[in-house]
Amino acid sequence: MIMLQLPLKRVAKSTRVFVPHSIFILNTPSPYIHHHYQHQFYPAATSTQIAVVDEAVGSCFNAKDVVFSFKEWFKRGNIVLLDRIFEVLSAHDEDDANSRLAADLALSQLNLRLSESFVLTVLDHGARHHEVLSCLKFFDWAGRQGGFHHTRVTLHAIFSILARAKLMSLVLDYLADYGKHRYCYNVSFYNVLVMGYAVAGKPDVALQVFGRMRFKGLDLDGFSYHVLLNALVEQSCFDAVEVVEKQIFNGGFENDITYSILVKNLCKQNLLDEAEAYLRDLVSRGQPFSGGALAIIVDALCKKKQYGKAMELMEEFKQWGLAPMNDAYGACLGNLVQAGKVEGALEFLWDKKSLEGYVPHLFRYNILLCKLLRESRLKEVCDLLTDMKENDISPDKVTMNAALCLFCKAGMSDVALELYNSRDEFGLSPNSLAFNYLINTLCGDGSIDEAYRVLNNSINQGYFPSAKTFSILADALCREGKIDRMKELVFNFPEKNFRQRDLIVDKFISALCMAQRVEDGYLMFGDLNRLTKVATRNTYVNLIHGFINISKGDFAARLLIEMQEKGYHATPAMFRAVVICLCNMENPITQFFKLLEMQLSRHEPNCHIYNNFIAGAGHAKKPELAREVFEMMHRSGIEPNISSDILMLQSYLKSQRISDASNFFCDLCQRRNVGRKLWNAMVVGLCKANRIDMALDIFTKMKSAGMVPSNECCEEVVKLLCSGGYYDLVVNFINELEKQGRRISSFIGNTLLFHSLRTQELYEAWVLARGVQDETSSIAMLGQLIGAFCGRLRVSSEHIERWEELIEPCFPLNLYTYNMLLRRLSWNHIDHACQLFNRICQKGYEPNQWTYDILIHGLVQHGRTAEARRREEEMFMRGFDPTVKNQSGNFCPSLRG
């Protein structure tokens, strides 16, 4: 019997792990890749979509019929026994003898019939739900049961789970001690070592063991050979792959798995043409190969966006009829979905289903379901669920959660709630997304008590609803006078879970503040203080900003002082916000100096404290208060630092007290040698005050004094010149930057492109000053971009697709750049605009309100209203509102600028 003695206490219960569908061959997307989609926030459905789902699901049946139908289907995938095993293991999670004994006894009472396939099923189930510790405990328990012996397959499974959880050290520790627990050197011993080191990412050690094994005249078995070969491919040890490949063929161990790994080896080296040729050669020689080998090539082609070639290859091999096509079709379908080509994925699925009877694997269905839900395409979700039922596809928890979200989004709260209440019958474990939707839906239907019950259950299961869900529920509870229900939840929360309790308090108080019920949040805060439960810094921050938003600066100031007394740090931005709020209240001078006196009495007076108040008064446009604080510094014997001077100067400039600002600046220049920071602040402030003549005069004097203007200084000058239409001066300014060897910043580049969208005058000034040039310098390229943006230069379709590459040498792109590029493309090239929007997301940018406004406006202008509405729903769910809606409800944004 092969036993695994691993230090279980070193593994965190929450460690996540993912196991591939096959044991070791394919690197196709994991069937558990759905974890990425579970946490995406799906947009809400429109009334039209809800009507479609009602018609598709419930036109001929009442809610009870729908519930019964889905219950029966869910029970086909019943995994209650597997859930029970992991409940037992989780219940006895202490690392001591008594806990292990209790777990052993509880598992024995389940009367499990152990076999290789059953153990693999349990490990697979645990891996799906990231129960690494429980998988180890079950593996250890199974190995100690009479009549069952762990096999190389089960060993490989647990090694893979640990390796994918980044716990290779546990595998290595076990392998290092393996000889002490086993009778000495035999074939089985070496097989386990080679396999273990290969899976643990140590192919060099595996090869050393293999070498010693061959020196003794021993050999690996076929399974271990293929584990080693696959590990060498994964680690890109291509020379060693050839050596092991020869050993496999010499020993007669080759089979379809060998050929699949060798195909993957070629794809790993980006030799896709050679991989195709190798597969065709196998066909010509009559060698057996699985559909997995073809799937590997299809997957590699799709990842390189060569979908057409992938389709042709699948069609070619389908004509030969030598291998099943399901794996290849699945690889293509998964890549289409992940690339955002949902329409293409649906077309591909229904086409292959109608012509060839293709039925995807469960996890392919789940990926597509989650993607469709995210886009609020409820009819397609309903069609997909129906297709799964008709094809007897047993659902898993992801499928069940998707169905639950569907009913919530479609407004069928009675169906969703009944399925939730019956979850124990078929092993449904709602995820955080399903909990969010169910709570939101119940609140929308007025079922506040049910929503509260679901919230309580979700927290007990370790799921914490989103801030938006908390806000909706908090508003509903306050509206119905049930604020005590949430207090009950918070104050009865187990003390040992204080971190979770603090998280709930933070979220709930934040939700109350978002719902404009700051006083209720403050009352709860007071109750916490009376129970000697210390509020977190985040709670203070939420309440302070909440009171600032309702113009109660005295409460905000009081909380700020209390927050500091608790040892929490208050940022300058928070100080500034509180001071601004105080300055806008009644008796602002009294409130202002009261807070200042409290700060000075509690802390050693220093520039930092005074500067916070100068900055706040300046932003509140109270320069006289700022000046009084500035003078107090002198009277206290504290010399103002450069930050104090800059903040005082900005106080005058923000209030349009230009004469006072000029006198203050000149006085400082006469009394001492001021640095470039003060000069920059003066130029920037004058630009923001729209005093162009004075700004240019100071800017010129600054350069004459040998000082180099900061980027912000140059940016504000360019912005002011462009706003005033002084485009000839702008071009001269850009020429000066070029001579100095300074690169155009993103802000300046964006400003030039923005104004070129509005007028052709900038391009005309550019041509007048520099002429039409064919230079390849970045500045010359910028001129051509300005001409293209204003419409004076024609752009070929080839260059339209490469506009990002053309801009990059001129200045660094940011989201603002992409928004303007999106706007330019949406005028005449809406397909390119849609592709650009997808690329923006793929590059990691978060689209903002302007991004959505531009795209939706362009879609509407080109008559693509259905797509515009889908984007509009996505925009709503991201917390953005359309700029303008006309009376018919059609989206018509007013684009800024």
Side-chain angles (χ1 to χ4, degrees):
M1 178 173 60
I2 300 174
M3 298 179 63
L4 190 65
Q5 303 293 334
L6 292 171
L8 303 184
K9 63 183 179 181
R10 291 171 56 184
V11 186
K13 286 176 61 181
S14 60
T15 305
R16 294 185 174 224
V17 55
F18 307 102
V19 179
H21 185 62
S22 62
I23 294 180
F24 50 70
I25 300 176
L26 297 177
N27 262 354
T28 52
S30 165
Y32 318 120
I33 201 168
H34 58 72
H35 78 94
H36 171 75
Y37 296 95
Q38 287 181 351
H39 304 292
Q40 300 294 325
F41 199 80
Y42 301 143
T46 62
S47 57
T48 305
Q49 290 170 317
I50 292 173
V52 168
V53 175
D54 281 339
E55 180 182 354
V57 177
S59 58
C60 303
F61 306 97
N62 57 32
K64 290 184 178 180
D65 294 328
V66 175
V67 170
F68 177 79
S69 173
F70 273 84
K71 272 189 184 180
E72 292 301 305
W73 181 42
F74 287 172
K75 287 177 182 177
R76 296 184 203 171
N78 201 330
I79 48 176
V80 174
L81 176 60
L82 297 178
D83 286 339
R84 179 59 186 151
I85 291 171
F86 284 94
E87 284 176 13
V88 168
L89 293 169
S90 299
H92 305 285
D93 58 355
E94 300 297 329
D95 188 40
D96 56 66
N98 291 334
S99 180
R100 287 194 293 271
L101 184 62
D104 287 357
L105 180 61
L107 287 173
S108 299
Q109 291 175 346
L110 296 178
N111 297 318
L112 303 176
R113 295 186 177 182
L114 296 179
S115 64
E116 180 184 87
S117 62
F118 180 76
V119 170
L120 290 174
T121 300
V122 174
L123 294 177
D124 178 68
H125 181 79
R128 293 187 186 207
H129 298 90
H130 325 307
E131 296 281 357
V132 181
L133 176 60
S134 295
C135 284
L136 281 171
K137 291 167 69 175
F138 177 79
F139 185 90
D140 179 64
W141 173 83
R144 290 184 277 105
Q145 304 310 301
F148 175 75
H149 303 276
H150 276 305
T151 66
R152 292 176 181 82
V153 178
T154 57
L155 265 171
H156 180 269
I158 195 65
F159 286 164
S160 298
I161 289 173
L162 292 172
R164 291 180 179 276
K166 309 299 182 186
L167 297 172
M168 281 78 78
S169 59
L170 293 183
V171 181
L172 297 175
D173 289 345
Y174 165 72
L175 294 172
D177 295 337
Y178 183 60
K180 300 176 184 178
H181 304 294
R182 296 282 301 149
Y183 48 88
C184 291
Y185 307 95
N186 58 29
V187 177
S188 176
F189 170 78
Y190 280 114
N191 274 296
V192 172
L193 286 183
V194 170
M195 187 171 61
Y197 283 119
V199 172
K202 297 286 185 179
D204 52 337
V205 181
L207 287 172
Q208 291 174 18
V209 176
F210 176 60
R212 291 199 299 270
M213 187 178 182
R214 297 296 288 152
F215 180 77
K216 292 176 178 289
L218 302 173
D219 202 0
L220 293 171
D221 59 25
F223 184 88
S224 302
Y225 256 127
H226 286 102
V227 171
L228 176 59
L229 183 66
N230 186 69
L232 293 171
V233 172
E234 289 295 328
Q235 296 293 325
S236 301
C237 303
F238 302 122
D239 292 336
V241 168
E242 294 182 10
V243 175
V244 175
E245 175 191 352
K246 290 178 182 177
Q247 294 294 320
I248 290 175
F249 279 91
N250 290 339
F253 295 118
E254 73 274 11
N255 54 29
D256 59 334
I257 294 175
T258 317
Y259 300 129
S260 294
I261 297 175
L262 293 177
V263 166
K264 183 166 75 169
N265 179 50
L266 293 169
C267 292
K268 187 89 172 176
Q269 300 176 69
N270 202 27
L271 302 173
L272 302 189
D273 291 338
E274 288 82 349
E276 291 181 37
Y278 181 81
L279 207 54
R280 292 190 181 96
D281 181 62
L282 290 177
V283 173
S284 66
R285 293 189 287 113
Q287 295 292 339
F289 72 94
S290 67
L294 177 60
I296 290 170
I297 301 179
V298 169
D299 182 64
L301 289 170
C302 289
K303 281 183 168 52
K304 288 184 167 294
K305 312 299 182 187
Q306 299 181 24
Y307 297 103
K309 192 171 182 180
M311 297 290 183
E312 292 174 3
L313 189 66
M314 288 188 291
E315 187 63 27
E316 176 187 342
F317 278 84
K318 186 189 76 173
Q319 298 299 328
W320 289 338
L322 297 177
M325 301 297 295
N326 273 27
D327 287 341
Y329 288 164
C332 183
L333 182 65
N335 276 285
L336 286 170
V337 175
Q338 289 177 25
K341 300 178 181 295
V342 183
E343 288 291 349
L346 287 171
E347 183 180 348
F348 178 81
L349 171 63
W350 299 127
D351 179 60
K352 296 303 178 185
K353 179 174 287 292
S354 62
L355 297 177
E356 303 172 36
Y358 166 59
V359 178
H361 292 296
L362 173 62
F363 74 94
R364 301 289 187 197
Y365 271 116
N366 285 340
I367 291 174
L368 189 51
L369 275 173
C370 293
K371 188 69 172 179
L372 290 169
L373 271 172
R374 187 183 178 192
E375 297 185 2
S376 276
R377 301 176 63 164
L378 303 191
K379 184 180 185 306
E380 286 89 343
V381 173
C382 190
D383 291 342
L384 215 56
L385 289 171
T386 303
D387 185 67
M388 294 175 73
K389 289 173 65 178
E390 291 176 350
N391 284 285
D392 291 324
I393 303 292
S394 296
D396 65 3
K397 293 184 179 180
V398 180
T399 320
M400 296 180 196
N401 275 289
L404 197 62
C405 289
L406 169 68
F407 292 125
C408 289
K409 287 167 70 68
M412 302 171 71
S413 58
D414 49 349
V415 174
L417 185 60
E418 182 59 32
L419 288 175
Y420 172 78
N421 290 336
S422 308
R423 60 192 181 280
D424 291 339
E425 297 179 22
F426 37 79
L428 167 62
S429 178
N431 57 28
S432 57
L433 190 64
F435 274 124
N436 276 324
Y437 268 118
L438 189 55
I439 293 170
N440 291 349
T441 303
L442 292 170
C443 286
D445 284 353
S447 305
I448 309 303
D449 291 334
E450 291 289 355
Y452 175 80
R453 179 175 65 86
V454 173
L455 171 68
N456 218 335
N457 290 340
S458 74
I459 292 174
N460 289 335
Q461 288 185 225
Y463 291 113
F464 296 94
S466 67
K468 184 170 184 177
T469 300
F470 257 104
S471 178
I472 292 171
L473 182 57
D475 187 54
L477 289 169
C478 294
R479 194 168 55 245
E480 299 201 2
K482 296 182 177 180
I483 196 74
D484 290 338
R485 298 299 299 272
M486 189 57 75
K487 290 182 182 178
E488 174 189 329
L489 176 68
V490 171
F491 298 136
N492 293 334
F493 207 79
E495 283 295 328
K496 68 176 183 178
N497 295 327
F498 65 92
R499 289 184 180 176
Q500 287 89 338
R501 183 203 65 213
D502 290 345
L503 179 61
I504 292 174
V505 171
D506 284 342
K507 282 198 171 187
F508 186 52
I509 290 180
S510 174
L512 290 170
C513 293
M514 288 172 62
Q516 299 297 310
R517 297 182 181 267
V518 187
E519 291 89 349
D520 290 319
Y522 188 64
L523 289 175
M524 173 174 279
F525 171 79
D527 291 338
L528 280 173
N529 283 342
R530 281 192 291 275
L531 292 173
T532 68
K533 295 180 179 179
V534 179
T536 65
R537 181 183 183 278
N538 199 48
T539 301
Y540 279 106
V541 171
N542 285 327
L543 284 170
I544 289 170
H545 285 299
F547 278 117
I548 288 172
N549 289 335
I550 60 174
S551 301
K552 291 194 174 182
D554 49 346
F555 280 89
R558 189 185 312 163
L559 285 165
L560 179 65
I561 296 294
E562 186 178 329
M563 174 182 170
Q564 290 178 303
E565 290 174 345
K566 291 290 197 304
Y568 298 127
H569 173 66
T571 64
M574 182 180 294
F575 255 110
R576 185 170 64 240
V578 172
V579 171
I580 292 171
C581 189
L582 288 174
C583 289
N584 292 321
M585 293 180 63
E586 292 183 5
N587 302 317
I589 298 176
T590 303
Q591 299 279 6
F592 179 87
F593 285 107
K594 180 180 178 182
L595 179 60
L596 177 58
E597 289 170 9
M598 293 177 72
Q599 286 295 302
L600 294 174
S601 65
R602 285 170 167 76
H603 307 281
E604 184 70 25
N606 56 56
C607 280
H608 180 71
I609 294 175
Y610 286 108
N611 288 348
N612 284 332
F613 284 83
I614 295 172
H619 277 81
K621 297 185 178 179
K622 302 283 186 181
E624 63 282 353
L625 288 179
R627 185 67 190 218
E628 179 61 27
V629 175
F630 190 80
E631 296 300 332
M632 284 177 65
M633 292 178 70
H634 284 289
R635 292 196 297 269
S636 302
I638 298 174
E639 185 67 25
N641 57 21
I642 183 63
S643 295
S644 310
D645 294 336
I646 291 174
L647 290 171
M648 189 62 242
L649 179 64
Q650 290 173 338
S651 296
Y652 285 128
L653 292 168
K654 284 182 171 66
S655 301
Q656 294 289 321
R657 300 268 286 270
I658 307 301
S659 177
D660 290 331
S662 181
N663 292 335
F664 180 75
F665 178 74
C666 292
D667 181 56
L668 288 174
C669 291
Q670 290 172 3
R671 284 195 286 114
R672 65 174 186 269
N673 186 23
V674 298
R676 66 191 288 265
K677 287 185 178 180
L678 194 67
W679 284 86
N680 282 317
M682 185 64 174
V683 174
V684 170
L686 288 169
C687 287
K688 291 182 177 179
N690 203 29
R691 301 301 291 266
I692 188 166
D693 293 335
M694 291 186 68
L696 290 177
D697 181 55
I698 298 293
F699 186 81
T700 303
K701 289 179 180 178
M702 179 183 180
K703 292 202 305 180
S704 299
M707 297 183 189
V708 179
S710 67
N711 276 343
E712 183 187 12
C713 185
C714 295
E715 289 165 356
E716 289 298 331
V717 169
V718 170
K719 178 183 175 183
L720 183 61
L721 291 173
C722 284
S723 299
Y726 301 104
Y727 296 118
D728 53 340
L729 296 180
V730 172
V731 179
N732 291 336
F733 192 88
I734 298 300
N735 289 337
E736 285 295 320
L737 291 179
E738 183 183 23
K739 290 176 183 177
Q740 295 168 14
R742 296 182 65 168
R743 192 182 182 194
I744 301 296
S745 69
S746 298
F747 185 94
I748 292 176
N750 289 334
T751 301
L752 298 177
L753 294 184
F754 175 72
H755 282 271
S756 67
L757 286 174
R758 302 179 66 185
T759 178
Q760 295 185 0
E761 292 180 19
L762 174 59
Y763 181 68
E764 291 169 356
W766 190 283
V767 172
L768 189 63
R770 297 180 60 99
V772 180
Q773 300 166 317
D774 293 326
E775 301 173 28
T776 58
S777 69
S778 60
I779 297 295
M781 182 65 70
L782 180 59
Q784 294 174 30
L785 284 169
I786 291 171
F789 262 62
C790 72
R792 289 288 292 272
L793 297 180
R794 293 186 60 184
V795 183
S796 66
S797 58
E798 177 188 356
H799 285 136
I800 287 174
E801 297 177 355
R802 296 178 51 242
W803 254 359
E804 295 160 86
E805 300 175 25
L806 299 176
I807 294 174
E808 201 164 27
C810 302
F811 61 88
L813 286 82
N814 56 22
L815 183 59
Y816 194 94
T817 318
Y818 278 108
N819 282 342
M820 287 189 296
L821 185 52
L822 189 68
R823 183 177 179 183
R824 182 65 182 84
L825 288 173
S826 67
W827 291 350
N828 304 311
H829 306 281
I830 190 62
D831 288 333
H832 288 298
C834 293
Q835 292 170 14
L836 177 63
F837 182 89
N838 292 331
R839 287 201 302 277
I840 291 172
C841 298
Q842 290 166 8
K843 288 177 181 289
Y845 291 100
E846 287 288 336
N848 58 20
Q849 179 169 339
W850 195 21
T851 317
Y852 281 105
D853 272 351
I854 294 167
L855 182 62
I856 295 170
H857 182 64
L859 289 168
V860 171
Q861 292 299 311
H862 287 81
R864 293 162 65 163
T865 54
E867 192 174 349
R869 287 192 179 281
R870 282 202 299 272
R871 292 297 185 187
E872 184 183 18
E873 290 158 10
E874 184 180 334
M875 180 183 187
F876 278 130
M877 296 315 299
R878 286 182 177 268
F880 303 123
D881 291 322
T883 309
V884 177
K885 271 197 173 184
N886 60 30
Q887 293 181 353
S888 65
N890 293 323
F891 190 83
C892 184
S894 173
L895 300 175
R896 285 179 288 187

